[in-house]
Amino acid sequence: MKISHDLKLRVRYEETDQMGVVHHSNYIVYYEAARSSLMRSLGVSYAEMEARGVMMPILDVESKYLWPAYFEEELTVRVMIDEEPMARATFRYEVYNEAGRLINTGKTVLGFIRSDTRRPCRVPQWFVELLNK
């Protein structure tokens, strides 16, 4: 199973530091925006997942900075799922600047927990079916 989804976004002024470079912490926000967009493209939002009784907390984040991004640049954030999730889901990210240069790579690992008990659970079958469409 290979899933890939691209989200385009423009760097806002408040995301930059005094040098006009995107502050490193914003890449994690970009990852979340791309992940949320991917989920909606699959036909389910995080809010709907939670209404169905499942939450997906972040367990681990990695981010590698290769090249700076600047104010007003349009970035493409690519999010990928390479394998079917079980108790955890791994999302990989590639961020490209408007020239097409790879400027950042990352990974997040999310768990699955029940909304009512906040206890770990396996990935819901309906979610696996969405991924395999």
Side-chain angles (χ1 to χ4, degrees), residues 64-78:
K64 184 170 183 177
Y65 308 96
L66 307 170
W67 193 257
Y70 300 96
F71 173 57
E72 276 296 315
E73 252 190 314
E74 183 179 73
L75 305 179
T76 300
V77 184
R78 178 167 298 142

Side-chain angles (χ1 to χ4, degrees), residues 95-127:
V95 181
Y96 296 88
N97 65 13
E98 57 193 26
R101 182 177 192 162
L102 179 64
I103 63 169
N104 176 275
T105 60
K107 179 176 91 168
T108 57
V109 178
L110 285 74
F112 293 91
I113 63 172
R114 291 180 45 151
S115 299
D116 56 353
T117 64
R118 305 288 170 113
R119 305 287 301 161
C121 63
R122 291 182 60 81
V123 61
Q125 185 57 37
W126 58 263
F127 184 71

Side-chain angles (χ1 to χ4, degrees), residues 57-61 87-88 109-112:
I58 295 280
L59 304 175
D60 188 39
V61 176
R88 298 174 178 204
V109 178
L110 285 74
F112 293 91

Side-chain angles (χ1 to χ4, degrees), residues 20-37:
V21 172
V22 170
H23 189 269
H24 65 275
S25 63
N26 287 297
Y27 287 90
I28 309 307
V29 176
Y30 298 163
Y31 298 167
E32 183 170 358
R35 200 170 56 249
S36 294
S37 181

